[in-house]
Amino acid sequence: MPALVLLGAQWGDEGKGKATDLLGGSVDYVVRYQGGNNAGHTVVVGDQKYALHLLPSGILSPGCTPVIGNGVVVDPSVLLSELSGLNERGVDTSKLLISGNAHIITPYNVTVDKVTERFLGKRKIGTTGRGIGPTYADKINRVGIRVQDLYDESILMQKVEAALDAKNQLLTKLYNRRAIAVDQVVEELLGYAEKLAPYVTDTVLVLNQALENDKVVLFEGGQGTLLDIDHGTYPFVTSSNPTAGGACTGSGVGPTKISRVIGILKAYTTRVGAGPFPTELLDEDGEALRRIGGERGVTTGRDRRCGWFDAVIARYATRVNGLTDFFLTKLDVLTGWEQIPVCVAYEIDGKRVEELPYSQSDFHHAKPIYENLPGWSEDITSAKSFSDLPKNAQAYVKALEEMSGAPISAIGVGPGRDETIEINSFL
Ligand code: GDP
Ligand code: IMO
Ligand code: MG
């Protein structure tokens, strides 16, 4: 049976949590493969709203096994409080599996994230301050702490020492901060060991055996294509690979096992944090999208920057992820505009450009070229099939599909599980 990837096609917050939850009832495993608690995935089930940061959204579907893959960075204190928060609300979290190879976000990684951002001043990235970049940097520098290290005290001590050696020099001499004591960090980390032990396992083996046994595995991306460290708007990106290839490296499942890659695509565009955003609106339309769409960060509470749909970005997402489908979300938010501009290409130095430029300076100078599509005023939140949508909403979806290069197989018309129009089945 197939493995499916579900990922963000823009700058994150496209509605991945809702889409994952929708499929959660029909899949056996939901796997996070990158990122950490920088993510904020909202799931609305009936009158209950959940904000998930580190846990895969499949945790809310009783038949589904949630997995934190080797590519994720795990803050143990956040994980434990997320688990207890869900337990208090009656959610069974006992099936969770965590890769022993996942890296741990240590307290000093969080400190380094915050001080480096402060040091960058106006050049800052606007990170979530959760220690994501410094933890991945330690991983690549081969001084990271892995979940399995919690179960060997002497190795843990040596590794924390190695990691803190250079960092303490930086913290005290460059950033004017106090040195961090190795013993204290080790003691804190050891305190998590027993609590996490029931979940820790060889997730690579579990997932591959599951696929051999015809189980369905869904990979849930965090962040989005344009925040990818390789394919995003570097340096204004996150420090992992949300794009489809990341699902393989971040889980140990080979690319031949993946049969479908679904891009979650908002019917307009949002971005949190710094960096270029060609269709950003700094006028009342941007304000209206923010208000109607409830565009406020789930993790940091920051207002999201808002703009019109950008087809150049959608085409790029189709290409770098090999998308087979789109799930278009938040179409309902666009109800009420007489005309809806859609960016079909960019103007860069007086020339029309159809594809995302690889050059950072070109992208910074890209001006959107808009086509105006006619809007609709009818409420669409109770639409159950494509034909229930007003003609202009149908035409908007069809135009986006044509420009974006992959079929739109589902449409979100509200935050709830059932506020979805399913066009082609994902399974
Ligand atoms: P994620 O990070 O990709 O999971 O997305 P977020 O949860 O950060 O942000 C998406 C927001 O849009 C959440 O508040 C969702 O409940 C909401 N949402 C998702 N799909 C729809 C939709 O089709 N219509 C509306 N109105 N809201 C949606
Ligand atoms: P979900 O999974 C939107 C952004 C931050 C910042 C940049 C780097 O909910 O879509 P980081 O803390 O990752 O080093 O910050 O990436 N960012 C997100 N933006 N949605 C997210 O996650 C994000 N996770 C990180 O705002 O610009
Ligand atoms: Mg989010």
Side-chain angles (χ1 to χ4, degrees), residues 7-87:
L7 52 79
Q10 294 151 322
W11 275 287
D13 303 324
E14 299 90 347
K16 298 175 292 294
K18 171 189 158 162
T20 304
D21 171 66
L22 190 69
L23 297 180
S26 330
V27 306
D28 301 296
Y29 293 81
V30 173
V31 187
R32 279 285 306 273
Y33 56 88
Q34 48 66 238
N37 58 307
N38 46 350
H41 295 181
T42 316
V43 178
V44 179
V45 186
D47 60 356
Q48 293 288 309
K49 187 169 170 177
Y50 300 89
L52 301 167
H53 297 284
L54 197 45
L55 292 168
S57 302
I59 200 137
L60 301 172
S61 302
C64 179
T65 302
V67 179
I68 294 181
N70 56 277
V72 175
V73 287
V74 178
D75 185 325
S77 66
V78 171
L79 178 61
L80 290 169
S81 70
E82 211 172 323
L83 285 170
S84 62
L86 287 180
N87 294 154

Side-chain angles (χ1 to χ4, degrees), residues 11-13 16 38-41 126-128 222-223 237-238 272-273 302:
W11 275 287
D13 303 324
K16 298 175 292 294
N38 46 350
H41 295 181
T127 73
T128 58
Q223 294 75 55
V237 292
T238 191
V272 200
R302 289 179 289 181

Side-chain angles (χ1 to χ4, degrees), residues 189-217:
L189 294 179
L190 286 175
Y192 301 124
E194 207 177 310
K195 292 181 192 131
L196 294 182
Y199 309 112
V200 180
T201 191
D202 180 353
T203 53
V204 176
L205 186 63
V206 171
L207 291 173
N208 280 286
Q209 283 178 338
L211 286 165
E212 276 162 28
N213 290 320
D214 283 347
K215 303 289 183 205
V216 184
V217 176

Side-chain angles (χ1 to χ4, degrees), residues 12-18 39-44 49 220 223 264 266 292-295 298 304 328-333 411-415 419:
D13 303 324
E14 299 90 347
K16 298 175 292 294
K18 171 189 158 162
H41 295 181
T42 316
V43 178
V44 179
K49 187 169 170 177
E220 177 186 11
Q223 294 75 55
I264 313 302
K266 219 177 257 190
I292 301 166
E295 297 297 352
V298 181
R304 294 174 181 156
L328 186 73
T329 61
K330 304 192 99 161
L331 186 65
D332 53 300
V333 174
I411 303 167
V413 291
E419 288 170 309

